[in-house]
Amino acid sequence: MPVSYNNLWKLLIDKNMNKTDLKEAAGISFNVMARMGKNQTVSFESLEKICSVLKCDIGNVVEFVHEESAVDVVKKFTTIELFAGAGGLALGIEKAGFDTIGLIELDKAASDTLRCNRPNWRVINDDISNISCLNLEDYFAIEKGELDLLSGGAPCQAFSYAGKRLGLEDARGTLFYHYAKFLDQLQPKMFLFENVRGLLTHDKGRTYKTIIDIFESTGYTIQKKVLNAWDYGVAQKRERLITIGIRNDLVDKMHFDFPAPHKYKPILRDILLDCPKSEGSSYSAYKRDIFELVPPGGYWRDIPEEIAKAYMKSCWDMEGGRTGILRRLSLDEPSLTVLTSPSQKQTDRCHPLEPRPFTIRENARCQSFPDDWQFCGSVGQQYKQVGNAVPVNLAYDIAKNIRKALEEL
């Protein structure tokens, strides 16, 4: 008869423990934890050890289910996320039906955001270099090859290897090295690596080629595509480089297609008019008075020249359109790429109806976060978290297709 350990996992959440804590406290093996993670039977002795640590009865740990209910205890696809930020990518992946078993994030405020919204998630607030050197199978209580998806987008520092084909150890000191270490150790069935479009052309393409070469050396076949979030239910022009990997032994058993663009592309009118009020920055009185002169959809060229010239100072003599200066958005267009700071001279995004920057909640709407997703930390830290996030709806569409690929197995 099938068994379920759902009660045990809920009990761990109530006691603020994770699976590794339980394994160490009860003195049970990694294999026992792995079997329970798959809803398989374990020895009565192991159950007694668990009950002793948790001070509970066996009925609080395991339950038997009828065959017709067995579908209810089939585990979801599992994922671990690196460089998790405020959870935009993780939230979209969760929405697609994945069980997030671990997230690593260095920033304290972003980690607090994750814990606040998902107390059941195992959030690891630490430098990834302190984690990637561990035995990851033991740390996450998962066998090599068992994880379904590794996700995340490592910030890629500038480096150049002059197009040489280098191995994993040659990438030490870069953040994507730690991502590759997770791939090498855990061998997930698939991975999702998200980054800025500019990574494709950085150092004449050599940076991205080095990353791909190293990912391939850990045993993966790669697909890549630049996707614009505006095509996927996000009221924002935001292009991201999406790299998908399938483990080589599974390439002939499954296939992944990038999601097709939606027929309707949302604009600010769809998301701003009923947005909940929240904290946000403001312009100086001087800047606010100037923005009063800029029409929705306009920028510095749409106000008197002498006022624009006085505001722009040295920028006035620069070449190029400088369309980001004194830029006011329109309700009938999408947002420009949401940034980590609400007010920078050459990248203004003024509200269409009021002479002010977008609030935190308005930026979150532009990133397709749900209104009940709370951000922790100072106002500046919250702006940074929202600006760095992957749009939730974009993540969801990608993850849905990853799930379809995994279901083929």
Side-chain angles (χ1 to χ4, degrees):
M1 181 175 288
V3 296
S4 169
Y5 298 95
N6 287 343
N7 289 342
L8 172 59
W9 312 137
K10 293 175 184 176
L11 189 58
L12 289 183
I13 293 171
D14 292 339
K15 292 182 176 291
N16 198 27
M17 294 179 66
N18 58 47
K19 293 180 181 179
T20 303
D21 296 333
L22 177 63
K23 171 182 171 294
E24 294 175 354
I28 56 180
S29 69
F30 163 74
N31 287 334
V32 168
M33 292 301 302
R35 288 184 63 83
M36 290 195 296
K38 299 175 185 177
N39 285 314
Q40 297 175 349
T41 57
V42 297
S43 69
F44 186 74
E45 179 184 4
S46 296
L47 294 176
E48 281 190 317
K49 289 179 179 179
I50 291 171
C51 291
S52 176
V53 167
L54 299 179
K55 295 180 173 56
C56 66
D57 298 325
I58 286 183
N60 299 123
V61 173
V62 61
E63 63 178 333
F64 294 94
V65 295
H66 297 293
E67 292 289 348
E68 60 267 22
S69 301
V71 68
D72 295 332
V73 300
V74 174
K75 74 180 183 70
K76 294 182 179 180
F77 291 110
T78 54
T79 179
I80 293 173
E81 180 151 328
L82 314 182
F83 313 101
L89 182 59
L91 184 54
I93 291 173
E94 178 195 61
K95 187 178 176 183
F98 285 77
D99 181 18
T100 305
I101 64 174
L103 307 95
I104 299 175
E105 172 54 42
L106 176 62
D107 184 79
K108 175 65 164 57
S111 296
D112 289 343
T113 292
L114 296 172
R115 293 191 181 105
C116 170
N117 291 281
R118 290 291 185 272
N120 59 312
W121 280 356
R122 182 185 176 188
V123 179
I124 303 158
N125 176 211
D126 202 347
D127 190 318
I128 194 171
S129 65
N130 295 330
I131 308 299
S132 66
C133 61
L134 303 176
N135 183 318
L136 299 179
E137 292 180 68
D138 285 347
Y139 190 72
F140 291 101
I142 192 168
E143 295 178 1
K144 187 173 186 176
E146 184 181 353
L147 182 68
D148 294 302
L149 176 67
L150 180 72
S151 65
C156 291
Q157 312 98 309
F159 68 98
S160 173
Y161 294 135
K164 297 178 182 177
R165 187 178 181 88
L166 302 176
L168 179 58
E169 295 305 308
D170 296 299
R172 282 187 180 276
T174 66
L175 291 175
F176 82 84
Y177 162 80
H178 300 289
Y179 191 103
K181 287 282 286 183
F182 269 73
L183 289 178
D184 194 44
Q185 274 205 56
L186 292 180
Q187 289 288 290
K189 299 178 182 70
M190 295 183 69
F191 74 79
L192 162 58
F193 184 76
E194 175 272 343
N195 222 285
V196 296
R197 176 177 185 157
L199 181 60
L200 273 177
T201 54
H202 180 265
D203 193 22
K204 299 181 180 179
R206 288 190 284 256
T207 298
Y208 185 64
K209 181 180 184 303
T210 299
I211 293 172
I212 294 307
D213 286 349
I214 289 174
F215 286 173
E216 288 178 340
S217 74
T218 64
Y220 289 85
T221 298
I222 307 296
Q223 297 171 246
K224 70 176 186 298
K225 191 171 184 178
V226 174
L227 300 182
N228 192 328
W230 193 27
D231 291 323
Y232 301 96
V234 181
Q236 176 192 178
K237 291 181 178 179
R238 189 184 188 95
E239 290 187 315
R240 307 302 288 182
L241 171 61
I242 306 298
T243 305
I244 301 292
I246 298 177
R247 206 172 65 211
N248 289 340
D249 63 309
L250 302 176
V251 168
D252 294 333
K253 302 175 183 178
M254 61 193 294
H255 77 280
F256 170 82
D257 294 318
F258 284 97
H262 295 195
K263 292 182 179 179
Y264 180 72
K265 299 165 74 169
I267 55 177
L268 290 175
R269 187 179 299 278
D270 297 317
I271 64 165
L272 280 189
L273 298 182
D274 64 345
C275 186
K277 294 188 179 300
S278 73
E279 291 184 294
S281 295
S282 59
Y283 295 139
S284 66
Y286 168 68
K287 189 170 183 177
R288 189 167 59 248
D289 290 343
I290 294 178
F291 262 118
E292 291 275 18
L293 303 175
V294 182
Y299 64 118
W300 63 270
R301 289 188 184 276
D302 298 300
I303 65 175
E305 181 176 308
E306 65 275 11
I307 297 177
K309 190 172 184 179
Y311 175 81
M312 295 169 68
K313 296 184 174 65
S314 61
C315 293
W316 179 264
D317 298 317
M318 293 171 59
E319 295 181 356
R322 294 152 289 169
T323 57
I325 300 177
L326 288 174
R327 178 66 182 269
R328 187 168 195 168
L329 299 179
S330 165
L331 289 177
D332 297 315
E333 65 181 350
S335 171
L336 300 178
T337 300
V338 173
L339 304 175
T340 57
S341 176
S343 180
Q344 299 180 29
K345 188 170 185 177
Q346 296 194 44
T347 52
D348 280 318
R349 279 110 169 86
C350 180
H351 191 279
L353 303 179
E354 302 176 37
R356 60 170 177 80
F358 283 31
T359 65
I360 293 166
R361 202 75 259 164
E362 287 166 343
N363 271 356
R365 279 273 184 106
C366 292
Q367 290 278 52
S368 59
F369 276 102
D371 290 339
D372 61 358
W373 193 264
Q374 299 300 310
F375 300 95
C376 299
S378 67
V379 170
Q381 289 170 327
Q382 292 182 51
Y383 269 119
K384 181 180 178 181
Q385 290 173 53
V386 176
N388 279 331
V390 178
V392 176
N393 288 353
L394 173 62
Y396 172 58
D397 272 18
I398 297 169
K400 280 195 301 182
N401 282 21
I402 291 175
R403 182 184 177 91
K404 287 178 183 177
L406 290 167
E407 285 173 343
E408 294 177 9
L409 299 177

